[in-house]
Amino acid sequence: FDSHIFWLLIAGYFFGLVLEDFIWFIVNPEWGGLKRFNSKYVYWHNWIKLGKLEIPDFFIYFTAIGTSILVFLA
């Protein structure tokens, strides 16, 4: 057991969740692309709005968790 590799996998898991969710909206031909990636159409996510920019809240939380793990490992 190597704890360093374990924590790298956990950080990758959090980054992967964000990436997978975002890519799903891009490659899904029935969704309509990034035009519909907002709080009006994607009502099942909680959104953080910064002016015209809208980001699902877990994108920020999971990216912060993954980054914190990587900083801790450095």
Side-chain angles (χ1 to χ4, degrees):
F1 177 77
D2 186 356
S3 64
H4 186 79
I5 291 175
F6 172 77
W7 287 110
L8 281 176
L9 288 171
I10 297 298
Y13 174 75
F14 283 107
F15 290 130
L17 286 173
V18 172
L19 185 62
E20 181 273 332
D21 189 69
F22 182 70
I23 295 296
W24 184 88
F25 289 100
I26 294 172
V27 300
N28 185 350
E30 295 191 20
W31 181 254
L34 289 177
K35 294 183 294 192
R36 295 182 60 202
F37 186 62
N38 56 45
S39 60
K40 180 179 176 184
Y41 298 105
V42 186
Y43 54 84
W44 55 89
H45 286 323
N46 294 322
W47 292 80
I48 295 176
K49 297 179 183 182
L50 304 169
K52 290 186 177 184
L53 179 66
E54 294 181 313
I55 302 172
D57 63 350
F58 80 94
F59 279 26
I60 294 170
Y61 304 145
F62 285 6
T63 301
I65 291 169
T67 303
S68 298
I69 291 170
L70 292 179
V71 167
F72 175 72
L73 290 175

